[in-house]
Amino acid sequence: MKRKITALCITLCVFMIFSYYVSLPDYSVVNSISFSGENTRETEIKVVVYKYWNLNETIKSIELEHNKINGIPTSLEINLYYSRWHIKHGLEPFKTVVFHYKQN
């Protein structure tokens, strides 16, 4: 009987962890900093990524969402972190992507 209760508790815990993980978004934008000059606007975004598969698609989604909301900057730097803890303690991002756009 005790083994059945233990197995049930472990199964319930695994199910709860799995359902929590599935409910997380793909990423969360923590902050965005924009520097403007006479003819330039450089933007830096810090993003926490929760789901790492299809990372290139996630980066493209972040870029498109930012440009849709804020307009197209001269350069866009996206810093990807594992968690907010890494940002808070000043650790380096696990990946940095920089996009440069031509101004017309």
Side-chain angles (χ1 to χ4, degrees), residues 60-72:
K60 191 67 175 170
S61 174
I62 295 167
E63 175 196 12
L64 292 173
E65 181 180 351
H66 174 272
N67 292 344
K68 180 181 170 186
I69 293 171
N70 299 312
I72 299 175

Side-chain angles (χ1 to χ4, degrees), residues 66-80:
H66 174 272
N67 292 344
K68 180 181 170 186
I69 293 171
N70 299 312
I72 299 175
T74 306
S75 69
L76 175 63
E77 180 179 326
I78 302 174
N79 296 312
L80 304 174

Side-chain angles (χ1 to χ4, degrees), residues 54-62:
N54 295 329
L55 191 58
N56 291 331
E57 291 177 18
T58 302
I59 292 168
K60 191 67 175 170
S61 174
I62 295 167

Side-chain angles (χ1 to χ4, degrees), residues 34-50:
S34 188
F35 306 99
S36 296
E38 187 173 318
N39 293 325
T40 62
R41 189 176 89 217
E42 300 175 2
T43 303
E44 178 183 331
I45 301 175
K46 293 183 180 179
V47 179
V48 174
V49 178
Y50 298 110

